[in-house]
Amino acid sequence: MFLRKAAVSLLRRVRLPSQSVSASASRPATATATAFPFSLSSKIKFPYHIGYGSSWSTGQADPPIWIILTGQAAIILGININPVLADDESIQTSSESDVQGANIVGLRKIEDGSVISNIHTSKWRIFTDNGRDYFLQGKLEEAETFFLSAIQEAKEGFGERDPHVASACNNLAELYRVKRAFDKAEPLYLEAINILEEAFSSEDIRVGVALHNLGQFYLVQRKLEEARMCYERALKIKGRVLGRGNLDYADTMYHLGTVLYFQGRLDDSEVLVQDSIRILEENGQGESMACIRRLRYLAQIYIKSNLISEAENVQRKVLHIIELSKGWNSLDTVVAAEGLGLTLQSSGSLKEAQELLERCLDARKTLLPEDHIQIGANMLHIARVVMLNSNQLRRMHVSDAIAELDKAKGLLNNAIRIAWQVINKLKRQSKKQDYGVSGENGRDGHAALIILLQSLDSLGLLEINRKELLESGEKLLSTPEAKDAHFECISAYKEFATEMLMSDSREVKAEYLSCLKHLSSLIDAEGTKQYRGTTLQEFKDEIKRVEHDISSSKRRKN
């Protein structure tokens, strides 16, 4: 490719059609403008996490993010922004809406409307293409070299403040964002916007697109106020130029809604996300993956607002859409059903919740290896529902309640076994590589560790309940089995969290804290001063330390 392009004459006349930015059929005719070589994606993903379980995103465009949470209202933002590099002849304002930009006249014009290229503009094009190719192959060092050269050639070929320079700056900024070199990326994003404002005005659609991307950059870092200001300004520009029924306008609206959610403005967030969904539906995109992602996020907002019935309705809609298109032989359907099952559990609809979760488990067993961590998580979910069933039966049907706990114990033991297998496998791999696990293995390890901690913690509580039922309902302070389960939970954290580079995970620490509190309460209730060589005071001091760490982490995030 390099040789073929380099062989093209460096001085030639090229006629480029002058087209308007055609982002949507609804765009006003007055919005006609000359675009520049700048293809920015506003694509951002929010994998779905609700309840005290885990959810997995199965599409190729949505790499899984493994988070298991305790507490129905808890949600975590999982962000995966796919970089889309600046093109040399078009502008793409939204990767979610197939918005296509226009060819541009960005080179020096001559009287007949064609343009003249020179050696620098030719090199700029070659370096940009090669940089993009290396970037998509994951060869970031090589891509960085080409993108740096592309900036210099753009400046020499087009001029220091030409929009092509903004395009080149954006490409390098995207690369630095992926490398998490945020200090290098931010000046490039800002420079691109400044150039665009000088070239086209501060209210031009290209400025709006660039502001949306800068908003994404800030959102990744949880710089919420900066992200909000970028999105609000981008939304205003897009609304004026593209129209309020445009898909790209809805895209920015949705992302602004996510920022407001994290700022605690739930009502405002709900309105924006709802409106973005409405626009998708009105444009025939009601069953698209973009719409499904937004519906899932709306359900999370409802859960956070304690509007469980509304969340359930939205999740039923999501499940209906996915089941019709993919059937139950799909992990996408399983994930949707699991989310609904966890919400039903929180609302007390235990029978339907259990049926859904068991159906999910059956489907996963046919789609995944028998020791896959998702199967372990699914077993944990069902065990918790069964434990709730037992609690409802204990006053009237003690034998049935005991049978339910025995069923739950079997599920928990299997979840623990699977989690151990995954962790031990990753331990062996990390020792061979002489560094901690990362990437997909890291996510699996993170999920397995949390599932292990949660399962052991649940097993400890189950042992107390079971002993009470066997003792004819007598209230027990503790049992050796319960203390052993909680202590094993603590030991697992101590052994694996540091070794697998997960000791700083807030989710992992939260599960560790739960085990610490339960074991401390059992020891305190017995009136003993220590357990397995650790004093009660040492347990309490550790609880305070972990609580402080989690609180500090939350403040840093916000």
Side-chain angles (χ1 to χ4, degrees):
M1 178 184 295
F2 185 95
L3 293 176
R4 177 176 58 81
K5 290 187 176 181
V8 176
S9 174
L10 297 182
L11 287 174
R12 61 176 181 174
R13 291 191 172 190
V14 182
R15 178 174 294 277
L16 295 176
S18 180
Q19 300 177 350
S20 63
V21 178
S22 178
S24 169
S26 63
R27 179 177 175 177
T30 56
T32 300
T34 300
F36 75 101
F38 200 58
S39 177
L40 289 174
S41 169
S42 53
K43 189 169 190 177
I44 186 168
K45 308 268 190 331
F46 295 90
Y48 176 50
H49 302 287
I50 75 168
Y52 48 68
S54 63
S55 294
W56 292 267
S57 177
T58 58
Q60 291 181 348
D62 297 296
I65 297 179
W66 307 86
I67 299 176
I68 292 79
L69 303 174
T70 299
Q72 178 66 20
I75 63 174
I76 291 291
L77 173 66
I79 300 180
N80 172 59
I81 306 175
N82 287 344
V84 174
L85 305 178
D87 195 1
D88 57 340
E89 290 182 344
S90 68
I91 174 173
Q92 184 180 24
T93 58
S94 175
S95 59
E96 286 193 351
S97 57
D98 293 330
V99 177
Q100 296 300 324
N103 292 329
I104 59 98
V105 181
L107 307 182
R108 182 167 59 86
K109 295 181 181 180
I110 59 175
E111 291 183 0
D112 64 358
S114 63
V115 296
I116 293 179
S117 63
N118 56 56
I119 188 169
H120 296 295
T121 63
S122 296
K123 286 183 178 180
W124 163 79
R125 185 182 299 272
I126 293 168
F127 292 153
T128 298
D129 286 347
N130 280 273
R132 182 189 295 109
D133 290 342
Y134 279 118
F135 186 94
L136 295 176
Q137 295 173 38
K139 298 178 179 179
L140 300 186
E141 299 304 321
E142 293 91 337
E144 180 180 357
T145 299
F146 277 110
F147 286 152
L148 283 167
S149 298
I151 291 176
Q152 184 60 38
E153 297 300 334
K155 289 180 177 179
E156 294 188 26
F158 300 112
E160 291 280 339
R161 308 299 291 174
D162 186 89
H164 292 79
V165 178
S167 167
C169 287
N170 176 78
N171 283 343
L172 186 58
E174 285 287 286
L175 181 142
Y176 285 144
R177 179 186 57 75
V178 170
K179 293 178 68 175
R180 302 190 70 80
F182 297 133
D183 57 330
K184 293 182 179 180
E186 184 174 17
L188 291 165
Y189 282 120
L190 295 174
E191 177 70 1
I193 291 173
N194 288 335
I195 292 173
L196 296 180
E197 288 178 328
E198 291 176 10
F200 302 111
S201 89
S202 61
E203 296 300 313
D204 187 86
I205 184 59
R206 286 148 289 207
V207 175
V209 173
L211 284 166
H212 180 109
N213 283 268
L214 181 59
Q216 290 185 169
F217 169 76
Y218 286 134
L219 183 53
V220 169
Q221 303 171 77
R222 294 297 293 273
K223 294 183 177 180
L224 299 180
E225 190 59 20
E226 292 91 336
R228 180 190 64 79
M229 290 188 290
C230 287
Y231 282 134
E232 286 185 345
R233 188 177 164 197
L235 190 66
K236 180 180 178 182
I237 294 171
K238 290 182 179 182
R240 179 182 59 80
V241 177
L242 303 178
R244 295 179 181 273
N246 180 268
L247 291 172
D248 193 49
Y249 175 81
D251 191 36
T252 298
M253 180 186 291
Y254 168 61
H255 294 111
L256 176 58
T258 65
V259 173
L260 297 181
Y261 172 87
F262 284 105
Q263 291 186 321
R265 296 168 58 179
L266 297 183
D267 291 341
D268 293 335
S269 175
E270 177 188 337
V271 170
L272 287 171
V273 174
Q274 281 181 333
D275 282 349
S276 75
I277 292 170
R278 174 185 54 77
I279 294 171
L280 282 179
E281 292 174 339
E282 290 175 352
N283 282 272
Q285 300 294 313
E287 297 182 359
S288 65
M289 287 308 299
C291 192
I292 289 172
R293 283 194 294 269
R294 296 180 194 186
L295 286 166
R296 286 173 165 168
Y297 203 80
L298 180 60
Q300 292 181 349
I301 295 172
Y302 284 141
I303 291 170
K304 181 69 173 181
S305 303
N306 202 31
L307 300 172
I308 304 301
S309 178
E310 288 83 348
E312 179 185 327
N313 290 335
V314 172
Q315 288 172 314
R316 289 187 187 279
K317 181 176 181 178
V318 169
L319 178 58
H320 177 72
I321 293 171
I322 298 179
E323 186 178 1
L324 283 179
S325 63
K326 299 189 177 184
W328 272 88
N329 191 33
S330 166
L331 287 177
D332 290 325
T333 306
V334 172
V335 169
E338 182 179 61
L340 175 58
L342 294 173
T343 300
L344 290 167
Q345 174 189 329
S346 70
S347 66
S349 302
L350 299 182
K351 181 179 179 181
E352 187 179 1
Q354 184 173 340
E355 289 174 351
L356 266 179
L357 293 173
E358 287 177 345
R359 192 174 182 186
C360 290
L361 181 59
D362 290 340
R364 279 195 168 108
K365 285 181 176 179
T366 64
L367 297 169
L368 298 169
E370 62 181 4
D371 60 348
H372 197 285
I373 194 58
Q374 290 190 34
I375 292 176
N378 209 148
M379 290 176 171
L380 171 60
H381 300 334
I382 298 172
R384 284 172 159 167
V385 175
V386 173
M387 289 172 67
L388 292 173
N389 285 334
S390 173
N391 192 52
Q392 291 184 350
L393 293 169
R394 64 185 301 157
R395 291 186 179 181
M396 300 295 295
H397 306 283
V398 175
S399 61
D400 291 342
I402 293 173
E404 288 290 278
L405 287 182
D406 288 341
K407 178 180 179 181
K409 184 174 181 178
L411 288 163
L412 290 175
N413 284 332
N414 277 325
I416 291 168
R417 173 184 56 80
I418 292 173
W420 275 120
Q421 287 179 347
V422 173
I423 289 172
N424 286 328
K425 180 180 178 180
L426 293 177
K427 275 184 61 182
R428 291 192 294 269
Q429 291 177 354
S430 64
K431 285 182 179 179
K432 289 180 181 180
Q433 298 168 343
D434 293 326
Y435 55 82
V437 294
S438 60
E440 184 175 352
N441 285 341
R443 290 190 292 271
D444 285 358
H446 185 259
L449 182 56
I450 295 179
I451 290 166
L452 176 62
L453 300 183
Q454 288 189 350
S455 298
L456 288 168
D457 198 27
S458 296
L459 184 59
L461 300 177
L462 181 149
E463 292 292 356
I464 292 178
N465 290 335
R466 190 175 186 280
K467 193 71 172 178
E468 287 179 354
L469 290 171
L470 291 172
E471 298 292 334
S472 301
E474 181 181 347
K475 189 69 176 177
L476 297 177
L477 297 177
S478 178
T479 71
E481 295 84 0
K483 288 188 294 184
D484 288 346
H486 292 309
F487 188 81
E488 187 176 353
C489 175
I490 294 168
S491 299
Y493 172 85
K494 292 288 189 181
E495 180 178 358
F496 297 120
T498 302
E499 186 171 341
M500 298 175 70
L501 306 180
M502 296 174 192
S503 58
D504 289 334
S505 165
R506 265 172 50 189
E507 294 76 34
V508 172
K509 281 185 178 179
E511 301 307 328
Y512 171 54
L513 178 62
S514 177
C515 293
L516 280 170
K517 287 183 175 180
H518 286 145
L519 181 56
S520 177
S521 296
L522 294 178
I523 297 171
D524 197 15
E526 287 181 340
T528 56
K529 297 299 182 182
Q530 66 175 10
Y531 179 72
R532 296 198 180 184
T534 302
T535 66
L536 177 60
Q537 187 58 49
E538 287 173 332
F539 280 119
K540 290 182 177 180
D541 290 343
E542 179 70 354
I543 288 171
K544 289 181 180 179
R545 184 191 68 79
V546 177
E547 286 178 334
H548 179 267
D549 287 349
I550 293 175
S551 178
S552 298
S553 176
K554 287 181 179 179
R555 286 196 297 270
R556 289 194 298 270
K557 288 283 185 180
N558 296 328

